[in-house]
Structure formats: C-alpha cells, structure tokens
Amino acid sequence: MSNSEPLPDVVMPFCPVRQMLRGQKALVTGAVSGIGRAVAIHMAQEGASVVINYASNDAGARDLVEEIEAKGGAAIAVKADVSDEEQVQAMFRRAIAEFGTIDILVNNAGLQKDSPFEEMTLSQWNTVLGVNLTGQFLCAREAVREFKRRGVVPAVSCAAGKIISMSSVHEVIPWAGHVNYAASKGGVMLMTKSIAQEVAPYRIRINSVCPGAIRTPINRDAWGTQEAYAELMKLVPYKRIGEPEDVARAVVWLASDDADYVHGVSLFVDGGMTLYPGFETGG
Ligand code: BGC
C-alpha cells in the first residue's frame, strides 16, 4: 500500500461482550515487573493474547504466564534483550509463529542507572539509551513491518496496529542526576511523534504514556519510607503515589478502538506532577 492509495472505510465490529482488546495479540516488553506486569495482566483481562517479554527473570515470567492462564487468558513468555537487534527479531518471529500476528506493541522495557553527571560512565549512558531508546526503536520497527504486511483486519481492530511507547514525565521535566534517563525519554517523545507522522497513512497508531511516580521497584527509594513518601508528595498535586494499574488502564485504552482517533500524543498519567507543583502556593 502506498501513501496515495485511498484507505478503505472501516466499520466498527459488533462486539457482544465488551472486552476492549478481544481477539488481539499484544507484545509487552519488560512485562515481568512493575508497570509492564500490570499492563500484561490488564491486556489479557481485556481479551488480548499476550507475549510476555523479559530480560532475565525466568521464574517471574513463568509465574505471570501461569497467572494469566489460570484466569482464562493466553500468554507466552519470550526472553530477549530489547537492545539487541537479533534477539528482537527472533522474538517477533517467535511471537508471530505462535499467535499468527501482533496487533499491539507496548514498548515498556526501561531502566535507570543514576549518577551525578560528571561521574556518569559511558557504560551507564549506553545501557540506559540502549534499552530505553534503541530498544523501543528496534521493537517499533519490527512491529511496523508486521502491521504493514498484514494491514487492517476490520473484525479485529480499526487500525492495522497500535504502539504504546512507555515514556515518563521526564520527557519534559529535566532530571539532575539522571541525565541518561531524561535524555532517553526526551528521545522517546520525538521518536514516537516522528514515527506517528510517518505511519499514520497506514492506519498504524502510536502514542506515548508518561507516568509520574508509580509504586514500582524502579523508584522504591522515592516511596519506601514515610519520610521519602512525604517528600515525594510535594511533587504530586493529587497527593497519592500512582499504582501500576493507573498506567495499565491508560495503556489499554490507547490500544483499544475507543482511542482510534488518538495519535502521536503524550498522555501524562502523573497525578499532576507536570503542573509545576512548586507554584501551588506562590510564584
Ligand atoms: C522514573 C521514576 C520517578 C518518576 C517521577 C519515572 O520515569 O522511572 O524513578 O520516580 O519518573 O520522577
């Protein structure tokens, strides 16, 4: 299909049981813990078959597959380092062999290697950029190839495919001591919007979700003690930490046909962290 060919009109399928992702195949990277785990479970609950990507935790991946299957869902676990091109390509081959296609990619895998700037090693820089940015590039590229190969299947979804990039409030909030992480998320923001511009004519949708402080292992230092939690709340107008489910619900919605005209946006799920909370009482 070329850019100039007219696109067919897509009729919303009639769905007796309203599972938002019924019959779709989703691949979630970094799905064994934190936000990725919640996303995988919510997608399965909404009727998607889920590929659980993980980097090293075999037992955690097995447990998650069993948990989803026990609830009547379908899942497989695929180990792959998302920053490695061959491993990413092998993962997509395996996923497509198993489930027939991929309709949804959740580019969730991400990590932090924090350090004062002048002490940051090249390895800390490369690891974070490699997983958080290059990893999203490699997975998105494979997904787009598959979406274009298959095209729109109206009985499954209005779109040929959906990508959700896990970004962060730090795609707009600078973050001292975390220069590699903030740079990776700033990159995710413009990568996502640029891909969005390019793939829209193929009815491929891509959006970012930008979580604020969410209760996951990545930021335990920020919520693990009462003192830390009180400090954190100074940055959150809504005065509660986010839960992985808060983010998972937004991801499921963006992946669903309910969000069919939502494309190339950054959806902040942050309790208002990006509202300049320092100005709550002054300025
Ligand atoms: C980071 C967390 C941090 C949050 C808000 C996230 O992207 O991974 O460590 O707590 O942003 O600053």
Side-chain angles (χ1 to χ4, degrees), residues 112 168-170 175 181 211-213 218-219 222 273:
Q112 289 181 215
S168 163
V169 289
H170 298 295
W175 206 13
Y181 185 83
I218 205 173
N219 60 353
M273 193 176 233

Side-chain angles (χ1 to χ4, degrees), residues 112 114 167-170 173 175 178 181 185 211-214 216 218-220 222-223 232 235 273:
Q112 289 181 215
D114 308 328
S167 186
S168 163
V169 289
H170 298 295
I173 302 179
W175 206 13
H178 310 258
Y181 185 83
K185 296 303 184 180
I214 309 297
T216 73
I218 205 173
N219 60 353
R220 194 179 297 275
W223 53 263
L232 181 63
L235 299 175
M273 193 176 233

